[in-house]
Amino acid sequence: MDRAVSRSFDILECLARARQPSRLSDIAAETGLQKSTVHRILGTLCALGHARQDETGRYGPTLRAWELGAGVVTSMPIYRVAAGFLQALHRTTAETVSLTILSGDDVVYLEKIVAARPVRFYTRVGSRAPAPLTASGKAMLAFRPDARSVVERVAAVSNLDVPALMTELSQVRQRGYALSGYSPGVTSIGAAVAAGGAPPDAALSISAPTERLTARKRDALIEALLETRARMTEALDQR
Amino acid sequence: MDRAVSRSFDILECLARARQPSRLSDIAAETGLQKSTVHRILGTLCALGHARQDETGRYGPTLRAWELGAGVVTSMPIYRVAAGFLQALHRTTAETVSLTILSGDDVVYLEKIVAARPVRFYTRVGSRAPAPLTASGKAMLAFRPDARSVVERVAAVSNLDVPALMTELSQVRQRGYALSGYSPGVTSIGAAVAAGGAPPDAALSISAPTERLTARKRDALIEALLETRARMTEALDQR
DNA sequence: CCGATTAGTTCCGCAGAATGGAACATCATT
DNA sequence: AATGATGTTCCATTCTGCGGAACTAATCGG
């Protein structure tokens, strides 16, 4: 199980988590490794270009891992197709729009275009959230056979009313979109995107401040979202 | 130098480069490693969530590395400040706008908002290009003391007229912006962003199809770019 | 200004992890 | 069914990565 490999990623994640350059001792403390071990692995990571040492001797991550991953993301068919639609959706609604995919029991934010007046709280591109707690996630789960198991696993760690959520999912299946209700102050509307009859593994969503959201406005957003989803599904199918 | 660590990143990069799931043998062949070694390291990478094996047994990268790096990027001060300005610049110009930073002798594209009618060539977010070959890169180099050495290193591998470029840089320094001239069909305009009197390590740029670009339009773009740069510099300074 | 403390780096003997060759299993193809 | 290619497991060998400790360089406090 390549201990050094595992440790190197631990260290890299430790560097990335810290919002500022870390000291060797802190990294050693946080990872529970010997200083000399950390020092050697950091040396390797620096040599590989994944970490760097600033003038003061502190260590920080480089963009190398991100560059690596960005290639993966931007070459994902779903991303390439969605990018244009996402932007169009933003243009017509002027609200914050996001593209997410399902990864395990989480949704991962792949891309986001924020409204001119940004919302107070924001999910970052590259961040995760438990699928059953988000509009996007519910939109996808509603059409997935494994929804119940996902919901149950998430419920096990974050108190969640499983039966209520399952009925909500069946509503979502009928309506074609999901609403978030968990984060106060902002409402999200999510719609799943599926290709070729397979269970959906991506979703579009619109988020807007709840207070500003009249019923009429909400309906307009839903309509725009569903229309974009329809066109995007079509585009995906004919590839 | 932690051989296993180094090899694991080789394998990960190999997975990321391949645009589709790779077979074990191919990875072994490409990396020059033994099959059993690749197999074991891939097992480790899978266990760590950095790779996965699909139903057919092929291996592919996950988004793990990207998620890791996205946290680094989105918490970079320059990114956080620039995001809003970039979007504003796109709104006023309706053209493709980018944010780049200097990394070694390259520029790295951190963020990009593409025009409704996308240009044929596109640089991807997360991709690199030699700084002296791009408008953004020249805009930054013009104000950096180490410009000459960068130019010379790049010239060594891609035939480049060093004296001509150096004089161009001094023009850029006077004008405050740089023009690309290397990729036919598309013109880019770059402006460096510096904070606190330090040499710039970030730049904004606008790219538009050359044919559509009248002199008047070009001047308008330059003005918009310089104005955005000015406001962004101001925002950076007062942090 | 000088000990005391803490952090960073280097060294080195030892354990055991990683290595790679080969055998085995699995799958596709004819 | 036989062939070939590929994925996986096994195992003896060895060299790598390990961590304690020593050394050096900062930082701090009195």
Side-chain angles (χ1 to χ4, degrees):
Chain A
M1 240 293 282
D2 292 65
R3 187 149 61 138
V5 174
S6 170
R7 289 176 168 185
S8 70
F9 281 104
D10 285 349
I11 292 175
L12 203 53
E13 278 182 35
C14 184
L15 291 178
R17 258 198 314 276
R19 290 311 182 206
Q20 45 198 312
S22 320
R23 292 186 316 188
L24 180 61
S25 313
D26 295 338
I27 302 170
E30 190 165 339
T31 56
L33 298 172
Q34 207 70 11
K35 273 201 303 178
S36 57
T37 302
V38 174
H39 184 258
R40 182 176 37 78
I41 293 181
L42 275 174
T44 304
L45 289 177
C46 289
L48 294 174
H50 284 277
R52 53 185 295 274
Q53 199 172 12
D54 65 16
E55 319 74 49
T56 73
R58 302 182 180 216
Y59 293 90
T62 67
L63 295 187
R64 192 78 192 267
W66 178 73
E67 293 175 45
L68 196 76
V72 176
V73 171
T74 54
S75 66
M76 286 173 63
I78 189 73
Y79 180 89
R80 309 190 68 130
V81 171
F85 289 105
L86 200 66
Q87 215 174 323
L89 185 61
H90 171 71
R91 257 193 285 270
T92 59
T93 62
E95 297 292 349
T96 297
V97 296
S98 312
L99 169 68
T100 56
I101 59 167
L102 201 60
S103 169
D105 300 341
D106 296 331
V107 293
V108 176
Y109 290 81
L110 273 198
E111 181 66 287
K112 196 173 101 167
I113 307 176
V114 299
R117 59 170 78 87
V119 199
R120 216 180 329 280
F121 57 127
Y122 55 112
T123 51
R124 284 208 296 232
V125 165
S127 70
R128 287 175 171 263
L133 302 184
T134 67
S136 291
K138 287 188 284 189
M140 290 186 260
L141 290 177
F143 295 93
R144 291 186 62 95
D146 57 341
R148 176 170 286 278
S149 59
V150 172
V151 171
E152 281 169 355
R153 274 194 300 274
V154 172
V157 293
S158 63
N159 61 337
L160 198 70
D161 186 343
V162 177
L165 216 141
M166 292 308 292
T167 52
E168 187 187 347
L169 288 188
S170 70
Q171 287 168 14
V172 170
R173 204 174 313 124
Q174 289 169 358
R175 293 186 310 208
Y177 65 88
L179 290 173
S180 74
Y182 290 93
S183 30
V186 62
T187 298
S188 295
I189 315 166
V193 180
D201 52 6
L204 296 170
S205 66
I206 306 183
S207 304
T210 308
E211 62 208 40
R212 251 186 257 278
L213 202 63
T214 61
R216 154 176 268 114
K217 169 105 197 215
R218 205 192 57 184
D219 290 345
L221 291 183
I222 290 171
E223 196 193 326
L225 178 65
L226 294 184
E227 212 242 305
T228 303
R229 186 258 300 276
R231 287 194 295 128
M232 189 171 148
T233 305
E234 197 181 340
L236 279 170
D237 278 337
Q238 68 184 37
R239 294 186 96 239
Chain B
M1 241 291 282
D2 291 65
R3 190 149 60 137
V5 173
S6 170
R7 289 177 168 183
S8 71
F9 281 104
D10 285 348
I11 292 176
L12 203 52
E13 278 182 34
C14 184
L15 290 179
R17 258 198 314 276
R19 289 311 182 208
Q20 45 198 310
S22 320
R23 292 185 318 190
L24 180 62
S25 315
D26 295 339
I27 302 169
E30 190 164 338
T31 56
L33 299 172
Q34 207 70 11
K35 275 200 303 179
S36 57
T37 301
V38 175
H39 184 259
R40 180 175 38 76
I41 294 181
L42 275 174
T44 303
L45 289 177
C46 288
L48 295 174
H50 283 276
R52 54 185 295 273
Q53 199 171 13
D54 66 15
E55 320 74 48
T56 73
R58 299 179 183 220
Y59 293 91
T62 66
L63 295 187
R64 193 77 192 267
W66 178 73
E67 292 175 45
L68 195 76
V72 176
V73 172
T74 54
S75 65
M76 286 172 62
I78 188 73
Y79 180 89
R80 309 190 68 132
V81 171
F85 289 106
L86 200 66
Q87 212 172 325
L89 185 60
H90 170 72
R91 259 194 284 271
T92 59
T93 63
E95 297 292 349
T96 297
V97 296
S98 312
L99 169 68
T100 56
I101 58 166
L102 201 60
S103 168
D105 300 342
D106 296 331
V107 293
V108 176
Y109 289 83
L110 273 197
E111 181 66 286
K112 197 172 100 166
I113 305 176
V114 299
R117 58 169 80 90
V119 198
R120 216 186 330 282
F121 324 55
Y122 56 112
T123 50
R124 283 208 295 232
V125 165
S127 69
R128 286 174 171 265
L133 302 184
T134 68
S136 291
K138 287 188 285 188
M140 290 186 260
L141 290 177
F143 295 93
R144 291 185 63 94
D146 57 343
R148 176 171 285 278
S149 59
V150 173
V151 170
E152 281 170 354
R153 275 194 299 274
V154 172
V157 293
S158 64
N159 61 337
L160 198 70
D161 186 343
V162 178
L165 217 140
M166 292 308 292
T167 52
E168 187 186 347
L169 289 187
S170 69
Q171 287 168 14
V172 170
R173 204 173 315 124
Q174 290 169 358
R175 293 187 311 210
Y177 64 88
L179 291 173
S180 74
Y182 290 92
S183 32
V186 62
T187 297
S188 295
I189 315 166
V193 180
D201 51 6
L204 295 170
S205 66
I206 306 183
S207 303
T210 307
E211 63 207 41
R212 252 185 256 278
L213 202 63
T214 60
R216 155 175 266 114
K217 169 105 197 219
R218 204 192 59 186
D219 291 343
L221 291 183
I222 290 171
E223 196 192 326
L225 178 66
L226 294 184
E227 212 243 306
T228 302
R229 185 260 299 277
R231 286 194 294 130
M232 188 171 150
T233 305
E234 196 181 340
L236 279 171
D237 277 337
Q238 67 184 38
R239 295 186 96 236

